[in-house]
Amino acid sequence: DNEGALVYLHTTSITTGTIVFDAPSTAGDYNFRYFAFNPATDSYEKKAVSNKVTVSTSVPTLLITTSSLPSGTVGIAYKNADGSSVTLTASGGTPPYKDWEVASGDLSSIGLSLDTQTGVISGTPTQVTQNPLTFRFRVKDSGSGNQQQIATKDLSIHIIQTPNPILTYYAT
């Protein structure tokens, strides 16, 4: 019971009766007093109603939000098309996200690795894949105990051969 805790503000729509609370972020029981403001008299009514409210909080579900991974080329550093690092991303749960891992598959078999703290996939591909290879990635959030969430997602990477250079000879 959090009696005497901070007062949380709310607004009530006169026309709909909807009450919107700036609710506490910690689950528990909160006592509050409700004072009605009368705009006609520009004052608070003297009658106070006490009530007890139980606040239940939940954290949004942790999801890996990376939708796809770029193809790579043998012998060329694995990057996005714009040259930026390939980074797995997540949302929901309790940030920061940690303990990224490859739950299924072996990135090292194609010359890549995963930074477990940042989710960056890096390296220089060494092996052509006839078809895209699918890897299952996993991440944990920073929730503690039974509040910690884990998300997984399958993503594919296709590694192609380095294109043959085009040589042009000019007769002199």
Side-chain angles (χ1 to χ4, degrees):
D1 193 358
N2 293 306
E3 189 168 353
L6 293 174
V7 174
Y8 295 95
L9 301 175
H10 75 278
T11 57
T12 304
S13 169
I14 294 172
T15 56
T16 65
T18 302
I19 299 174
V20 179
F21 284 92
D22 285 333
S25 59
T26 305
D29 291 335
Y30 292 85
N31 288 322
F32 69 96
R33 287 191 177 171
Y34 186 85
F35 294 92
F37 180 76
N38 185 344
T41 62
D42 196 31
S43 66
Y44 286 94
E45 297 295 324
K46 299 295 181 190
K47 297 177 184 176
V49 177
S50 291
N51 205 343
K52 188 174 194 175
V53 173
T54 299
V55 177
S56 299
T57 60
S58 63
V59 176
T61 301
L62 177 62
L63 298 170
I64 295 175
T65 56
T66 303
S67 58
S68 64
L69 295 173
S71 295
T73 304
V74 170
I76 298 175
Y78 188 64
K79 302 274 185 185
N80 286 309
D82 65 3
S84 63
S85 297
V86 177
T87 305
L88 298 173
T89 56
S91 68
T94 304
Y97 309 115
K98 58 184 183 178
D99 299 331
W100 287 94
E101 66 178 292
V102 181
S104 176
D106 181 10
L107 283 175
S108 67
S109 70
I110 56 173
L112 300 179
S113 64
L114 173 67
D115 184 308
T116 60
Q117 295 303 304
T118 64
V120 171
I121 300 172
S122 62
T124 301
T126 57
Q127 180 82 22
V128 171
T129 60
Q130 296 292 30
N131 297 304
L133 294 179
T134 300
F135 300 90
R136 175 165 290 160
F137 295 95
R138 179 182 300 144
V139 67
K140 297 176 185 174
D141 72 358
S142 293
S144 60
N146 64 359
Q147 297 298 315
Q148 185 175 55
Q149 296 185 50
I150 298 172
T152 60
K153 186 167 188 176
D154 292 348
L155 295 166
S156 298
I157 300 175
H158 190 199
I159 305 298
I160 61 171
Q161 182 61 50
T162 306
N164 292 327
I166 298 174
L167 301 175
T168 306
Y169 295 96
Y170 294 98
T172 56

